[in-house]
Amino acid sequence: MIKVTVWNEYIHEIEQPEVAEIYPNGIHGCIAEFLGTNEDITVRTATLSQPEHGLSEELLSDTDVLIWWGHRAHEKVDDAVVQRVQRHVLGGMGLVALHSAHHSKLMKALLGTTLNLKWRHGDRERIWCAMPSHPIAQGVPMHFELPMEEMYGEPFDIPNPDVTIFLGWFAGGEVFRSGVTFTRGMGRIFYFQPGHEEYPIYHDKNIQRVITNGVRWVYQPYLREHSTIAVENSAPLER
Ligand code: ZN
């Protein structure tokens, strides 16, 4: 069983009725719902307003894969919680960072760059699969369309990704590295661009497939049981 925790700042859905209409149970609720239909995945959710943002040491120790959605309240996420989550990723917990999570304190801490990009409201996006052999691309068409999505365009200030799996093209002409992977410490990270709150992106079957694949790919069962990157005095082995 893959133990997934879906974290969402959960602000737009409370303050904007048009967003609540699309996600009556929150973005986290929608993601938890489609992930929960898989027999190998169990899902919990956590949000910003909970004590410790719902991300206690106990919960993170019992989480194999963390999904992160944040936008308006990046600065309200407590530094101690960011450090705690970062430590778990470095120790082997998988991370799937969605849409505007690119600017979260967590992603900046893990990747070390500004993660700045070009953006514009409301455009049609075509997602291209650039690496069909990758596990995250399995069952996903070679290209598919999102009738409306926020435009994210290059240059995207990230370190060179391990793999670029998806490229986004927008009707305005821009392109973007929409699905990229990184390794930090023992942890696998998958960043996936679609998911602006004003559009029903997480109801899209292709998007759901990519995120589900992403969860399975960042999950490293052996490391979750044996992970340690602690500095330890090492006794010599027998020669
Ligand atoms: Zn957005």
Side-chain angles (χ1 to χ4, degrees):
M1 270 293 188
I2 310 175
K3 295 177 190 170
V4 177
T5 299
V6 184
W7 189 88
N8 178 16
E9 64 177 27
Y10 196 29
I11 291 175
H12 292 284
E13 303 94 315
I14 291 170
E15 295 185 358
Q16 294 169 250
E18 67 277 17
V19 178
E21 208 167 293
I22 301 168
Y23 297 114
N25 302 315
I27 286 172
H28 55 298
C30 176
I31 293 171
E33 196 177 312
F34 72 74
L35 284 178
T37 61
N38 297 282
E39 284 181 358
D40 58 334
I41 295 175
T42 57
V43 195
R44 281 175 292 199
T45 61
T47 57
L48 181 72
S49 65
Q50 294 174 316
E52 301 180 77
H53 312 316
L55 299 171
S56 65
E57 181 64 43
E58 197 185 355
L59 179 114
L60 290 172
S61 298
D62 195 40
T63 295
D64 297 318
V65 175
L66 180 68
I67 295 181
W68 194 277
W69 197 99
H71 178 223
R72 271 182 37 195
H74 294 317
E75 288 309 309
K76 293 198 175 126
V77 179
D78 191 75
D79 288 336
V81 174
V82 174
Q83 281 174 18
R84 186 187 300 156
V85 176
Q86 181 185 21
R87 178 166 49 78
H88 278 273
V89 173
L90 295 177
M93 182 181 74
L95 176 67
V96 176
L98 297 174
H99 187 56
S100 38
H102 72 94
H103 257 171
S104 61
K105 285 183 182 176
L106 177 63
M107 284 295 276
K108 288 179 179 175
L110 283 164
L111 299 187
T113 53
T114 67
L115 288 108
N116 287 342
L117 45 75
K118 296 275 185 292
W119 66 274
R120 181 177 67 245
H121 282 301
D123 205 345
R124 178 165 55 90
E125 179 174 14
R126 185 174 297 151
I127 308 256
W128 287 91
C129 182
M131 185 167 270
S133 61
H134 197 282
I136 295 180
Q138 298 314 299
V140 182
M142 286 303 102
H143 58 85
F144 62 96
E145 306 246 339
L146 300 170
M148 265 302 201
E149 172 56 334
E150 189 173 35
M151 189 285 290
Y152 277 12
E154 299 283 345
F156 185 20
D157 182 27
I158 46 173
N160 259 347
D162 292 345
V163 180
T164 300
I165 306 168
F166 299 105
L167 296 171
W169 169 90
F170 293 84
E174 295 89 350
V175 292
F176 192 68
R177 288 168 286 176
S178 291
V180 288
T181 68
F182 303 93
T183 311
R184 286 296 180 274
M186 310 259 185
R188 289 179 173 182
I189 301 167
F190 174 52
Y191 171 77
F192 192 45
Q193 159 262 315
H196 185 67
E197 69 279 357
E198 292 174 295
Y199 315 120
I201 302 294
Y202 297 121
H203 294 287
D204 182 283
K205 293 295 169 208
N206 290 317
I207 298 292
Q208 293 181 359
R209 171 55 80 105
V210 171
I211 294 172
T212 307
N213 288 348
V215 163
R216 292 193 176 119
W217 185 78
V218 300
Y219 171 50
Q220 301 184 87
Y222 181 84
L223 280 179
R224 288 315 283 157
E225 280 176 35
H226 301 90
S227 156
T228 172
I229 51 168
V231 178
E232 287 166 345
N233 191 355
S234 179
L237 299 180
E238 214 176 298
R239 293 175 207 228

